[in-house]
């Protein structure tokens, strides 16, 4: 469910930018609502409108109403403090059975109007007639909407609009403006009253209105409403102070209590379950704390906790040792990588030198083709060595001849004579 909070006056985008420039309280324009709807998750088809608004621009209010209805989503709306003027038109975006209001809320429906100083320096009868026609057309449009969405009697709702007054939720329920009243919680709210009881006529006198170039009625925020907005409220009767508490996951839980621990029955927002830093879980439903779950209690026995602490410390030590081992391995791998990169650089340097010298052909020219000759016997023993070799050769030949039977002894006489 997407929660749409409309807590400021309904204004045009131009007036909102002007408020930003002057540091004033910003209003809510049609563009804000359109952006909200576009940002919703595709699967979310439910919008819960929270209203605390004095109304404002008719043009922007009707545009917001039409945009909400055009979504086709399931829409609910809750009046949290005040819904007046065009805020009641936005309230009608929800069907009657899903329109609710807190017991202390106020609702005001009235005819559109223009302040005298918004008419200009001088107007003639035709100008006044045009203004009257525009206002009457806007008035009938509102009455038609209330009759259609509330099921009320046309004359009865028109009579109420003519009175221009705040009504309580019981009367709003009987007219069909809302379909349910949210009863108050048991906790007593602390309030502070500013000035006297709200007088709607005085409030009207303090509210600026103007008419744009197309003749549409624009209602400006009063200075008193701006002051009350500083307190997070727009009701002139009271301003309720509260505490903004931080949850464990960084959200903000607002509890309407000046001091002390939140209690069941305290008014709070937003709805949901919130886990606090101390472990407690606060459940908020329909703007009220319905349950506070205590924190889960651990063992207080130190002896019981010690083994768990020892186990954790052992895990830390093991992880630290493993981490150091991994660091050493990383350092070793980095050194190997550096050596490999260095060797690669040397190889590349040599290859570049060869290329610059002329390549492989130049290396072939520089290569030596010298072959050393075989070893030769020299010196005074050369003759003796040669005689020995001849005698050995003759002896081998004689042995072979004897084996073959062809040996013939040499003639010794001839040899001697020789």
């Amino acid at each position: 469910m997407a929660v749409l909070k409309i807590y400021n006056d309904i204004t045009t985008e131009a007036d909102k930018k002007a408020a930003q420039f002057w540091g004033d309280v910003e209003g809510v324009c049609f563009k804000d609502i359109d952006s909200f709807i576009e940002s919703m998750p595709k699967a979310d088809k439910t919008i819960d409108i929270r209203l605390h608004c004095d109304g404002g621009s008719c043009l922007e209010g009707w545009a917001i109403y039409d945009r909400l209805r055009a979504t086709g989503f399931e829409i609910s709306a809750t009046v949290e403090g005040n819904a007046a003027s065009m805020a009641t038109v936005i309230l009608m975006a929800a069907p009657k059975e899903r329109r609710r209001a807190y017991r202390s809320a106020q609702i005001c429906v009235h005819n559109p109007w223009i302040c005298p100083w918004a008419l200009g320096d001088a107007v003639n009868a035709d100008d006044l007639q045009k203004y009257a026609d525009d206002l009457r057309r806007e008035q009938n449009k509102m009455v038609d909407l209330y009759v259609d969405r509330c099921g009320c009697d046309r004359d009865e709702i028109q009579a109420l609009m003519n009175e221009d007054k705040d009504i309580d939720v019981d009367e709003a329920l009987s007219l069909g403006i809302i379909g349910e009243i949210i009863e108050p919680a048991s906790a007593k709210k602390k309030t502070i009253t500013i000035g006297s009881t709200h007088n709607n006529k005085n409030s009207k006198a303090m509210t600026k209105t103007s008419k744009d170039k197309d003749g549409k009625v624009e209602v400006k925020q009063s200075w008193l409403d701006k002051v009350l907005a500083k307190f997070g409220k727009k009701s002139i009767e009271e301003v309720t102070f509260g505490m903004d508490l931080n949850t464990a996951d960084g959200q903000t839980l607002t509890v309407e209590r000046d001091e002390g621990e939140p209690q069941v029955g305290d008014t709070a927002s937003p709805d949901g379950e919130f886990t606090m830093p101390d472990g407690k879980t606060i459940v908020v439903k329909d703007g009220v704390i319905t349950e506070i779950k205590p924190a889960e209690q651990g063992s207080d026995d130190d002896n019981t906790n010690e083994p768990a602490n020892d186990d954790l410390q052992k895990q830390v030590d093991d992880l630290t040792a493993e981490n150091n081992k991994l660091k050493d391995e990383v350092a070793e791998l980095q050194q190997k990588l550096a050596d490999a990169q260095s060797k690669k650089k040397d190889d590349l340097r040599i290859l570049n030198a060869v290329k610059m010298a002329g390549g492989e052909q130049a290396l072939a020219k520089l290569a030596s083709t010298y072959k050393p000759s075989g070893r030769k016997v020299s010196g005074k023993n050369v003759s003796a060595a040669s005689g020995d070799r001849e005698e050995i050769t003759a002896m081998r030949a004689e042995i072979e001849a004897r084996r073959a039977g062809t040996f013939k002894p040499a003639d010794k006489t001839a040899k001697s004579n020789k």
Side-chain angles (χ1 to χ4, degrees):
M1 176 185 293
V3 179
L4 173 59
K5 296 181 179 181
I6 302 179
Y7 290 164
N8 289 339
D9 285 355
I10 304 163
T11 184
T12 63
E13 185 178 2
D15 286 344
K16 181 177 180 179
K17 290 181 177 179
Q20 291 175 342
F21 178 80
W22 292 108
D24 206 345
V25 177
E26 299 176 21
V28 178
C29 65
F30 168 78
K31 188 175 181 180
D32 297 330
I33 307 304
D34 181 71
S35 298
F36 174 87
I37 294 173
E38 291 297 326
S39 66
M40 289 176 57
K42 298 301 182 184
D44 194 352
K45 303 296 182 182
T46 306
I47 299 178
D48 182 22
I49 307 172
R50 304 298 179 87
L51 285 168
H52 185 44
C53 176
D54 287 331
S57 167
C58 293
L59 180 64
E60 294 289 308
W62 282 113
I64 293 171
Y65 168 82
D66 289 335
R67 182 68 178 91
L68 290 168
R69 292 294 305 278
T71 62
F73 295 169
E74 178 182 303
I75 299 176
S76 58
T78 303
V79 181
E80 294 187 329
N82 175 44
S85 189
M86 288 307 295
T88 61
V89 171
I90 296 176
L91 178 65
M92 296 297 114
K96 181 166 65 175
E97 63 271 15
R98 289 199 293 269
R99 295 197 299 261
R100 308 182 304 168
Y102 285 105
R103 168 60 68 182
S104 58
Q106 297 184 75
I107 296 173
C108 176
V109 293
H110 65 81
N111 298 323
W113 49 272
I114 303 175
C115 289
W117 55 79
L119 298 177
D121 295 334
V123 292
N124 56 34
D126 292 335
D127 293 332
L128 292 175
Q129 186 60 54
K130 184 178 183 304
Y131 294 147
D133 292 341
D134 290 342
L135 290 173
R136 187 66 66 186
R137 183 166 50 252
E138 191 69 33
Q139 175 180 325
N140 290 334
K141 187 177 178 181
M142 290 180 177
V143 173
D144 291 341
L145 177 70
Y146 295 140
V147 171
D148 177 57
R149 301 293 287 174
C150 302
C152 57
D153 179 75
R154 187 180 188 86
D155 293 337
E156 185 178 10
I157 194 69
Q158 182 60 74
L160 181 61
M161 293 172 66
N162 293 340
E163 292 185 49
D164 191 2
K165 67 176 184 179
D166 294 327
I167 61 174
D168 57 28
V169 291
D170 290 318
E171 187 173 356
L173 182 65
S174 66
L175 289 170
I177 297 176
I178 59 174
E180 180 185 351
I181 299 174
I182 302 174
E183 296 297 336
S186 59
K188 181 180 180 181
K189 295 173 61 177
K190 296 183 179 180
T191 61
I192 180 172
T193 302
I194 300 179
S196 59
T197 303
H198 173 56
N199 184 307
N200 190 65
K201 297 297 183 181
N202 292 338
S203 176
K204 181 190 294 185
M206 290 186 293
T207 303
K208 277 188 166 183
T209 62
S210 63
K211 199 166 183 294
D212 66 8
K213 61 182 180 180
D214 296 325
K216 301 297 182 181
V217 178
E218 305 295 338
V219 180
K220 306 297 182 181
Q221 189 179 38
S222 72
W223 65 267
L224 181 57
D225 292 331
K226 296 175 184 178
V227 172
L228 292 173
K230 301 293 184 182
F231 295 93
K233 296 291 183 178
K234 292 186 178 180
S235 172
I236 198 170
E237 284 84 359
E238 61 180 32
V239 176
T240 303
F241 294 96
M243 299 184 297
D244 289 335
L245 304 179
N246 296 320
T247 64
D249 58 356
Q251 299 185 61
T252 299
L253 174 64
T254 301
V255 180
E256 293 190 2
R257 167 182 288 273
D258 289 342
E259 58 185 12
E261 293 285 335
Q263 302 294 328
V264 173
D266 285 353
T267 300
S269 64
D271 288 355
E273 292 193 10
F274 303 91
T275 301
M276 308 307 290
D278 60 1
K280 294 180 181 178
T281 300
I282 298 179
V283 181
V284 181
K285 184 177 181 181
D286 295 333
V288 177
I289 297 178
T290 58
E291 183 181 2
I292 299 179
K293 302 176 183 179
E296 295 183 1
Q297 298 296 328
S299 175
D300 294 332
D301 188 352
D302 293 339
N303 295 329
T304 303
N305 290 333
E306 283 180 2
N309 294 335
D310 292 341
D311 291 341
L312 290 175
Q313 186 60 46
K314 185 178 182 303
Q315 292 179 15
V316 171
D317 294 340
D318 292 343
L319 290 174
T320 302
E322 184 177 354
N323 183 48
N324 293 334
K325 181 180 178 181
L326 291 174
K327 285 182 179 179
D328 294 339
E329 292 179 358
V330 170
E332 182 179 354
L333 291 174
Q334 288 176 338
Q335 183 60 45
K336 290 182 178 180
L337 177 61
D339 294 342
Q341 290 176 339
S342 177
K343 185 175 184 300
K344 182 179 179 182
K345 289 181 181 178
D346 291 339
D347 293 342
L348 292 175
R349 179 177 57 79
I350 295 172
L351 181 58
N352 288 338
V354 171
K355 291 180 179 178
M356 290 186 288
E360 295 181 3
Q361 294 179 353
L363 287 179
K365 293 179 181 179
L366 295 175
S368 174
T369 58
Y370 170 76
K371 294 182 180 180
S373 59
R375 182 177 181 184
K376 295 181 179 180
V377 180
S378 62
K380 62 182 181 178
N381 294 323
V382 172
S383 298
S386 298
D388 293 339
R389 287 196 295 272
E390 291 177 358
E391 185 176 353
I392 292 171
T393 301
M395 290 176 66
R396 288 178 176 174
E398 182 180 347
I399 293 170
E400 294 294 331
R402 286 180 182 277
R403 288 177 179 175
T406 60
F407 175 73
K408 292 180 178 182
D411 188 357
K412 294 183 180 179
T413 304
K415 187 176 180 181
S416 299
N417 291 335
K418 186 177 179 180

